[in-house]
Amino acid sequence: MSQPSVEIVDLHYAYPDGHSALSAVHLHLHPGEKVALVGPNGAGKSTLLLHLNGILSHQTGELRICGLDVNAKNLGRVRALVGLVFQSPDDQLFSPTVFDDVAFGPIYQGLKPAQVDERVHAALSQVHMEEYARRVSHHLSVGEKKRIALATVLAMQPEVLALDEPSAGLDPRARRTLIHLLSEMPQTMLVATHDLPMVRELFTRTVVMDQGRVVADGPTAQILRDAALLEAHGLEMP
Amino acid sequence: MHVHFLDPYQDRPSLLHRLDARVKLLAALAFILTTSLTPPGIWAVYLLLLAGVVAAELLSDIPLGYYQKRALLALPFILAALPLPFTVSGTPLWTVSLGAWSLTASQEGVVRLLSIAFKSWISLQAAVVLVSTTAFPDLLMALRALRLPRLLVAIIGLMWRYLFVMVDEALRLMRARTARSGESAQAGLRPGGSVLWRARVAGGMAGSLFLRSIERSDRIYMAMLARGYDGEVRSSSTPRVPGREWLILTLFLFLLGALLALSLLLRAS
Amino acid sequence: MLFAPTPMHIPDGFLSTLVAVILWVLAVPVIAVSLRRVNRDLGEREVPVMGVLAAAIFAGQMLNFTVTGGTSGHLIGGALATIVLGPWAAVLVMTCVVAVQALIFQDGGLLALGANLFNMAIIAPFVAYAVYRLIQRVANGRSWTLFVGGFAAAWASVFVASLATALQLAASGTSPANVAVPAMAGIHALIGIGEGLITTGALALIFAARRDLLQRDAAPSTRSNTPVWVGGGLLALALVILSPLASAHPDGLEWVAEQKGFIDTAQGSLYNVIPDYVFPGISNEAAATILAGIVGALIVLGAAVALTASRRKQAKA
């Protein structure tokens, strides 16, 4: 069997003030697997996503992306392998035009202008927004911004997508578009969300986190049926 | 991510924390002024001033190490005064020769350099004691009591309220940039882009922060109007400073005056 | 570190009291005028708009970019604020930023705050405005002037403010003019390039997203900004001419520093009041006075320790 895309073994992390944010987290994601990460606010979902591309670094445990240890030496490679999409697209879109925003990753990698161009157009077409290249990011709707934010990481051709609340704040139509989009993506995917109907629709496997720990990990259908489990961790049956 | 750790205020039940903010502000300003007025090289008085500020640190119930860490902030600025020993004329102390160059340090120059470093160090500590023992709203009240224009105090108050929001936003922008700063597996590519491009990206981030702030201020303004704001800054009346604390302040100012007189006498002698 | 001190925030101890006080006296009226002018233009919006933008500039100063290896550049923001908000609002915004940096974060001293306000909240916006208007006028308002003008304004604001800082240090006898001026000017000529690049980057984004914000200059009220750009231009000229002069004749400013008038006067008169005062047993020896200082310091510290200890005991009881 091929090596896992994401391999987390006994990961611990505490904030500088000593407050423990993650403890004893184990998680394996196989290539192409789509996994939902659910749990109450403050459960450690975002903190875990930030570890995947080394924005936060774990104190103990092991963390490998496509077989690469996440450490200072591999940081650059890991960041290209993991596309991290933040909850607020405004944080991710800081250039005058959509093109500049999507081009950030490829330019940073040192690609030639022609390659950058190609990557940007490929990424925009994956989110069905090719005609937006010359638009001003600031003027887009939330749904459009979220799709552009996704394109900014697709342009880096990542193996793993780590998405934080992709459907939050979207109107029903924009949410529907996004769900379609995510179902088309071939990458390994770890998605932190409160949107359980989307989880049921899109993900075969669900991981429940609470207070920095993985409290359940299994087939989505089984987890979303377990009323007691959901209630114990501040979730509601969809 | 939250940045409340930026706020230097440390909540403790100490004597110094309970002292009125106006008293503390005036005392800190008077202390810094006295330090500034003390002529160079009056070590005895410097030591007494240092003892004064360290005593305040002890009374504040906050570890001395914390103060010293914050007080190091001005250290790099010493570079500006470093040439003094060689440029102030006076009694020669030693000579450094670098090939054809030779520099002679004077005693007067060394004294002046050390005095500047010492004064800067104790003044900084006094300021740290003030902000570490006084909550920001109390400090604002004290500024108003010092006749700072109401409008300016209101602006600074609002600025403080949104400072943490904005710093959070800036940190999230930088985090999002870091997240996409990856290296290609393709061999022979140098990651990072050009300096010009990096500066332009940082500029884009600043512009986007600025723009969002302008739009946010519109929303805040509307929210203020919705609650009956009419442009008039009203402030609740401030409590009187207890007589006992006036006494403390008077005594402190008197001591500072005495120290100043002493330093001038010592210099003359 | 989040708040790396920039070489322009003068800490306390580095300015002579006289220089610090003079700069307070110069800075306060300008800030008072800016408060009134902004109030006239913005009315009741003044508090939220100025407060939020001051917070934004403060936070924006954290946005950095790698120059090479371990060095990085970051935004200062005086020129950006001037071009987007106009000179008076920029003075007010920068005043709040510099004041909070000094008051809360000890980035810059409290007694030295007058000087820091003068350099970063008055000179920087005024010079930025003068340069920006000049280039706009010469180029007759073509759109590229926004970027060329923005770059030049940002560079000049940093550079001229650093000259003022160097001269103040020299006049205080803290740093010889022939060292301070070239050193500060040299460093800030480079920092100014970074500032210029970031400022144009920011203007490019604002130009793309909200062009309306940058067209404020077409408004009729700019006529009354004439004193700003004349003042800014004169300040810049004076500092640019004065600095090399001072640098060539460092003793000139040294002389000013030596004439710190009122201290010597005060000292003289005090000495005259008690002409024959003799410290018992000290006999004017440096070592003895320092010893006395140490003893006094120990007494003060002892009292503080005793007081805290007794309070702790009380708290426990």
Side-chain angles (χ1 to χ4, degrees), chain A residues 30-55:
Chain A
H30 296 296
E33 202 174 12
K34 289 184 167 51
V35 179
L37 191 56
V38 301
N41 290 335
K45 305 188 297 289
S46 301
T47 308
L48 184 60
L49 294 187
L50 289 172
H51 274 84
L52 291 188
N53 79 353
I55 299 250

PDB file of all heavy atoms in Angstrom, chain A residues 30-55:
ATOM      1  N   HIS A  30      -5.221   8.434   3.977  1.00  0.00           N
ATOM      2  CA  HIS A  30      -4.664   7.794   2.788  1.00  0.00           C
ATOM      3  C   HIS A  30      -4.834   8.716   1.600  1.00  0.00           C
ATOM      4  O   HIS A  30      -5.712   9.583   1.610  1.00  0.00           O
ATOM      5  CB  HIS A  30      -5.353   6.464   2.559  1.00  0.00           C
ATOM      6  CG  HIS A  30      -5.088   5.504   3.674  1.00  0.00           C
ATOM      7  ND1 HIS A  30      -3.824   5.047   3.944  1.00  0.00           N
ATOM      8  CD2 HIS A  30      -5.893   5.005   4.634  1.00  0.00           C
ATOM      9  CE1 HIS A  30      -3.876   4.274   4.999  1.00  0.00           C
ATOM     10  NE2 HIS A  30      -5.122   4.238   5.459  1.00  0.00           N
ATOM     11  N   PRO A  31      -4.016   8.525   0.580  1.00  0.00           N
ATOM     12  CA  PRO A  31      -4.113   9.404  -0.590  1.00  0.00           C
ATOM     13  C   PRO A  31      -5.533   9.409  -1.143  1.00  0.00           C
ATOM     14  O   PRO A  31      -6.148   8.361  -1.311  1.00  0.00           O
ATOM     15  CB  PRO A  31      -3.129   8.769  -1.585  1.00  0.00           C
ATOM     16  CG  PRO A  31      -2.142   8.057  -0.741  1.00  0.00           C
ATOM     17  CD  PRO A  31      -2.887   7.574   0.450  1.00  0.00           C
ATOM     18  N   GLY A  32      -6.033  10.606  -1.378  1.00  0.00           N
ATOM     19  CA  GLY A  32      -7.361  10.745  -1.976  1.00  0.00           C
ATOM     20  C   GLY A  32      -8.502  10.649  -0.974  1.00  0.00           C
ATOM     21  O   GLY A  32      -9.654  10.873  -1.321  1.00  0.00           O
ATOM     22  N   GLU A  33      -8.183  10.358   0.285  1.00  0.00           N
ATOM     23  CA  GLU A  33      -9.240  10.233   1.285  1.00  0.00           C
ATOM     24  C   GLU A  33      -9.782  11.604   1.660  1.00  0.00           C
ATOM     25  O   GLU A  33      -9.032  12.568   1.775  1.00  0.00           O
ATOM     26  CB  GLU A  33      -8.667   9.542   2.517  1.00  0.00           C
ATOM     27  CG  GLU A  33      -9.713   8.895   3.381  1.00  0.00           C
ATOM     28  CD  GLU A  33      -9.096   8.080   4.529  1.00  0.00           C
ATOM     29  OE1 GLU A  33      -7.866   8.208   4.778  1.00  0.00           O
ATOM     30  OE2 GLU A  33      -9.833   7.336   5.158  1.00  0.00           O
ATOM     31  N   LYS A  34     -11.108  11.681   1.848  1.00  0.00           N
ATOM     32  CA  LYS A  34     -11.723  12.957   2.237  1.00  0.00           C
ATOM     33  C   LYS A  34     -12.290  12.803   3.640  1.00  0.00           C
ATOM     34  O   LYS A  34     -13.211  12.012   3.859  1.00  0.00           O
ATOM     35  CB  LYS A  34     -12.831  13.319   1.261  1.00  0.00           C
ATOM     36  CG  LYS A  34     -12.324  13.741  -0.101  1.00  0.00           C
ATOM     37  CD  LYS A  34     -13.489  14.182  -0.960  1.00  0.00           C
ATOM     38  CE  LYS A  34     -13.023  14.909  -2.199  1.00  0.00           C
ATOM     39  NZ  LYS A  34     -12.000  14.191  -2.962  1.00  0.00           N
ATOM     40  N   VAL A  35     -11.748  13.571   4.570  1.00  0.00           N
ATOM     41  CA  VAL A  35     -12.100  13.391   5.975  1.00  0.00           C
ATOM     42  C   VAL A  35     -12.629  14.692   6.561  1.00  0.00           C
ATOM     43  O   VAL A  35     -12.059  15.764   6.339  1.00  0.00           O
ATOM     44  CB  VAL A  35     -10.869  12.919   6.782  1.00  0.00           C
ATOM     45  CG1 VAL A  35     -11.216  12.758   8.248  1.00  0.00           C
ATOM     46  CG2 VAL A  35     -10.333  11.617   6.208  1.00  0.00           C
ATOM     47  N   ALA A  36     -13.722  14.602   7.302  1.00  0.00           N
ATOM     48  CA  ALA A  36     -14.267  15.766   7.985  1.00  0.00           C
ATOM     49  C   ALA A  36     -13.735  15.807   9.408  1.00  0.00           C
ATOM     50  O   ALA A  36     -13.551  14.770  10.042  1.00  0.00           O
ATOM     51  CB  ALA A  36     -15.783  15.698   8.004  1.00  0.00           C
ATOM     52  N   LEU A  37     -13.488  17.025   9.882  1.00  0.00           N
ATOM     53  CA  LEU A  37     -12.985  17.209  11.243  1.00  0.00           C
ATOM     54  C   LEU A  37     -14.039  18.048  11.966  1.00  0.00           C
ATOM     55  O   LEU A  37     -14.243  19.214  11.619  1.00  0.00           O
ATOM     56  CB  LEU A  37     -11.650  17.955  11.155  1.00  0.00           C
ATOM     57  CG  LEU A  37     -10.768  18.073  12.387  1.00  0.00           C
ATOM     58  CD1 LEU A  37     -10.448  16.709  12.948  1.00  0.00           C
ATOM     59  CD2 LEU A  37      -9.477  18.797  12.012  1.00  0.00           C
ATOM     60  N   VAL A  38     -14.756  17.430  12.911  1.00  0.00           N
ATOM     61  CA  VAL A  38     -15.827  18.179  13.575  1.00  0.00           C
ATOM     62  C   VAL A  38     -15.566  18.248  15.074  1.00  0.00           C
ATOM     63  O   VAL A  38     -14.735  17.519  15.606  1.00  0.00           O
ATOM     64  CB  VAL A  38     -17.215  17.550  13.303  1.00  0.00           C
ATOM     65  CG1 VAL A  38     -17.498  17.502  11.815  1.00  0.00           C
ATOM     66  CG2 VAL A  38     -17.313  16.176  13.923  1.00  0.00           C
ATOM     67  N   GLY A  39     -16.298  19.153  15.729  1.00  0.00           N
ATOM     68  CA  GLY A  39     -16.125  19.338  17.166  1.00  0.00           C
ATOM     69  C   GLY A  39     -16.438  20.770  17.525  1.00  0.00           C
ATOM     70  O   GLY A  39     -16.503  21.630  16.651  1.00  0.00           O
ATOM     71  N   PRO A  40     -16.660  21.011  18.829  1.00  0.00           N
ATOM     72  CA  PRO A  40     -17.044  22.373  19.250  1.00  0.00           C
ATOM     73  C   PRO A  40     -15.927  23.392  19.011  1.00  0.00           C
ATOM     74  O   PRO A  40     -14.776  23.013  18.759  1.00  0.00           O
ATOM     75  CB  PRO A  40     -17.315  22.210  20.740  1.00  0.00           C
ATOM     76  CG  PRO A  40     -16.546  20.997  21.145  1.00  0.00           C
ATOM     77  CD  PRO A  40     -16.534  20.097  19.963  1.00  0.00           C
ATOM     78  N   ASN A  41     -16.267  24.670  19.102  1.00  0.00           N
ATOM     79  CA  ASN A  41     -15.245  25.721  19.019  1.00  0.00           C
ATOM     80  C   ASN A  41     -14.203  25.475  20.101  1.00  0.00           C
ATOM     81  O   ASN A  41     -14.546  25.128  21.227  1.00  0.00           O
ATOM     82  CB  ASN A  41     -15.864  27.107  19.256  1.00  0.00           C
ATOM     83  CG  ASN A  41     -16.738  27.521  18.090  1.00  0.00           C
ATOM     84  OD1 ASN A  41     -16.546  27.065  16.975  1.00  0.00           O
ATOM     85  ND2 ASN A  41     -17.698  28.393  18.371  1.00  0.00           N
ATOM     86  N   GLY A  42     -12.953  25.673  19.765  1.00  0.00           N
ATOM     87  CA  GLY A  42     -11.904  25.509  20.764  1.00  0.00           C
ATOM     88  C   GLY A  42     -11.481  24.057  20.952  1.00  0.00           C
ATOM     89  O   GLY A  42     -10.699  23.753  21.837  1.00  0.00           O
ATOM     90  N   ALA A  43     -11.982  23.161  20.105  1.00  0.00           N
ATOM     91  CA  ALA A  43     -11.627  21.748  20.252  1.00  0.00           C
ATOM     92  C   ALA A  43     -10.213  21.470  19.785  1.00  0.00           C
ATOM     93  O   ALA A  43      -9.630  20.452  20.138  1.00  0.00           O
ATOM     94  CB  ALA A  43     -12.613  20.880  19.465  1.00  0.00           C
ATOM     95  N   GLY A  44      -9.660  22.365  18.977  1.00  0.00           N
ATOM     96  CA  GLY A  44      -8.303  22.173  18.476  1.00  0.00           C
ATOM     97  C   GLY A  44      -8.253  21.872  16.983  1.00  0.00           C
ATOM     98  O   GLY A  44      -7.193  21.527  16.460  1.00  0.00           O
ATOM     99  N   LYS A  45      -9.393  22.017  16.305  1.00  0.00           N
ATOM    100  CA  LYS A  45      -9.447  21.690  14.872  1.00  0.00           C
ATOM    101  C   LYS A  45      -8.507  22.598  14.074  1.00  0.00           C
ATOM    102  O   LYS A  45      -7.673  22.117  13.309  1.00  0.00           O
ATOM    103  CB  LYS A  45     -10.879  21.856  14.327  1.00  0.00           C
ATOM    104  CG  LYS A  45     -11.934  21.062  15.079  1.00  0.00           C
ATOM    105  CD  LYS A  45     -13.288  21.103  14.383  1.00  0.00           C
ATOM    106  CE  LYS A  45     -13.899  22.490  14.281  1.00  0.00           C
ATOM    107  NZ  LYS A  45     -14.370  23.034  15.565  1.00  0.00           N
ATOM    108  N   SER A  46      -8.654  23.928  14.271  1.00  0.00           N
ATOM    109  CA  SER A  46      -7.812  24.860  13.515  1.00  0.00           C
ATOM    110  C   SER A  46      -6.345  24.676  13.893  1.00  0.00           C
ATOM    111  O   SER A  46      -5.462  24.747  13.027  1.00  0.00           O
ATOM    112  CB  SER A  46      -8.238  26.305  13.791  1.00  0.00           C
ATOM    113  OG  SER A  46      -9.585  26.475  13.434  1.00  0.00           O
ATOM    114  N   THR A  47      -6.097  24.445  15.172  1.00  0.00           N
ATOM    115  CA  THR A  47      -4.720  24.245  15.628  1.00  0.00           C
ATOM    116  C   THR A  47      -4.094  23.052  14.915  1.00  0.00           C
ATOM    117  O   THR A  47      -2.941  23.095  14.493  1.00  0.00           O
ATOM    118  CB  THR A  47      -4.708  24.016  17.150  1.00  0.00           C
ATOM    119  OG1 THR A  47      -5.439  25.071  17.769  1.00  0.00           O
ATOM    120  CG2 THR A  47      -3.302  23.999  17.699  1.00  0.00           C
ATOM    121  N   LEU A  48      -4.893  21.992  14.752  1.00  0.00           N
ATOM    122  CA  LEU A  48      -4.382  20.807  14.072  1.00  0.00           C
ATOM    123  C   LEU A  48      -4.061  21.139  12.605  1.00  0.00           C
ATOM    124  O   LEU A  48      -3.005  20.757  12.089  1.00  0.00           O
ATOM    125  CB  LEU A  48      -5.413  19.680  14.163  1.00  0.00           C
ATOM    126  CG  LEU A  48      -4.959  18.337  13.575  1.00  0.00           C
ATOM    127  CD1 LEU A  48      -3.714  17.837  14.297  1.00  0.00           C
ATOM    128  CD2 LEU A  48      -6.069  17.297  13.651  1.00  0.00           C
ATOM    129  N   LEU A  49      -4.973  21.873  11.953  1.00  0.00           N
ATOM    130  CA  LEU A  49      -4.733  22.220  10.545  1.00  0.00           C
ATOM    131  C   LEU A  49      -3.449  23.038  10.413  1.00  0.00           C
ATOM    132  O   LEU A  49      -2.682  22.856   9.466  1.00  0.00           O
ATOM    133  CB  LEU A  49      -5.913  23.008   9.974  1.00  0.00           C
ATOM    134  CG  LEU A  49      -7.253  22.262   9.853  1.00  0.00           C
ATOM    135  CD1 LEU A  49      -8.267  23.118   9.112  1.00  0.00           C
ATOM    136  CD2 LEU A  49      -7.075  20.935   9.134  1.00  0.00           C
ATOM    137  N   LEU A  50      -3.227  23.960  11.373  1.00  0.00           N
ATOM    138  CA  LEU A  50      -2.021  24.796  11.299  1.00  0.00           C
ATOM    139  C   LEU A  50      -0.747  23.958  11.435  1.00  0.00           C
ATOM    140  O   LEU A  50       0.313  24.337  10.937  1.00  0.00           O
ATOM    141  CB  LEU A  50      -2.053  25.878  12.377  1.00  0.00           C
ATOM    142  CG  LEU A  50      -3.086  26.983  12.149  1.00  0.00           C
ATOM    143  CD1 LEU A  50      -3.167  27.898  13.362  1.00  0.00           C
ATOM    144  CD2 LEU A  50      -2.738  27.801  10.911  1.00  0.00           C
ATOM    145  N   HIS A  51      -0.868  22.812  12.103  1.00  0.00           N
ATOM    146  CA  HIS A  51       0.302  21.937  12.210  1.00  0.00           C
ATOM    147  C   HIS A  51       0.648  21.285  10.880  1.00  0.00           C
ATOM    148  O   HIS A  51       1.801  20.993  10.619  1.00  0.00           O
ATOM    149  CB  HIS A  51       0.040  20.831  13.238  1.00  0.00           C
ATOM    150  CG  HIS A  51       0.352  21.250  14.629  1.00  0.00           C
ATOM    151  ND1 HIS A  51      -0.527  21.933  15.411  1.00  0.00           N
ATOM    152  CD2 HIS A  51       1.474  21.093  15.380  1.00  0.00           C
ATOM    153  CE1 HIS A  51       0.011  22.177  16.581  1.00  0.00           C
ATOM    154  NE2 HIS A  51       1.234  21.686  16.590  1.00  0.00           N
ATOM    155  N   LEU A  52      -0.390  21.050  10.080  1.00  0.00           N
ATOM    156  CA  LEU A  52      -0.157  20.261   8.866  1.00  0.00           C
ATOM    157  C   LEU A  52       0.875  20.915   7.964  1.00  0.00           C
ATOM    158  O   LEU A  52       1.626  20.223   7.289  1.00  0.00           O
ATOM    159  CB  LEU A  52      -1.466  20.058   8.099  1.00  0.00           C
ATOM    160  CG  LEU A  52      -2.487  19.141   8.769  1.00  0.00           C
ATOM    161  CD1 LEU A  52      -3.632  18.870   7.836  1.00  0.00           C
ATOM    162  CD2 LEU A  52      -1.840  17.826   9.208  1.00  0.00           C
ATOM    163  N   ASN A  53       0.898  22.251   7.892  1.00  0.00           N
ATOM    164  CA  ASN A  53       1.986  22.799   7.081  1.00  0.00           C
ATOM    165  C   ASN A  53       2.988  23.614   7.899  1.00  0.00           C
ATOM    166  O   ASN A  53       3.640  24.516   7.421  1.00  0.00           O
ATOM    167  CB  ASN A  53       1.486  23.510   5.826  1.00  0.00           C
ATOM    168  CG  ASN A  53       0.966  24.884   6.076  1.00  0.00           C
ATOM    169  OD1 ASN A  53       0.850  25.293   7.225  1.00  0.00           O
ATOM    170  ND2 ASN A  53       0.680  25.606   5.015  1.00  0.00           N
ATOM    171  N   GLY A  54       3.079  23.206   9.156  1.00  0.00           N
ATOM    172  CA  GLY A  54       4.199  23.689   9.959  1.00  0.00           C
ATOM    173  C   GLY A  54       4.122  25.144  10.388  1.00  0.00           C
ATOM    174  O   GLY A  54       5.132  25.746  10.727  1.00  0.00           O
ATOM    175  N   ILE A  55       2.912  25.735  10.388  1.00  0.00           N
ATOM    176  CA  ILE A  55       2.781  27.097  10.919  1.00  0.00           C
ATOM    177  C   ILE A  55       2.967  27.031  12.425  1.00  0.00           C
ATOM    178  O   ILE A  55       3.633  27.864  13.023  1.00  0.00           O
ATOM    179  CB  ILE A  55       1.407  27.677  10.575  1.00  0.00           C
ATOM    180  CG1 ILE A  55       1.249  27.738   9.076  1.00  0.00           C
ATOM    181  CG2 ILE A  55       1.201  29.015  11.262  1.00  0.00           C
ATOM    182  CD1 ILE A  55       1.254  29.060   8.460  1.00  0.00           C
TER     183      ILE A  55
END
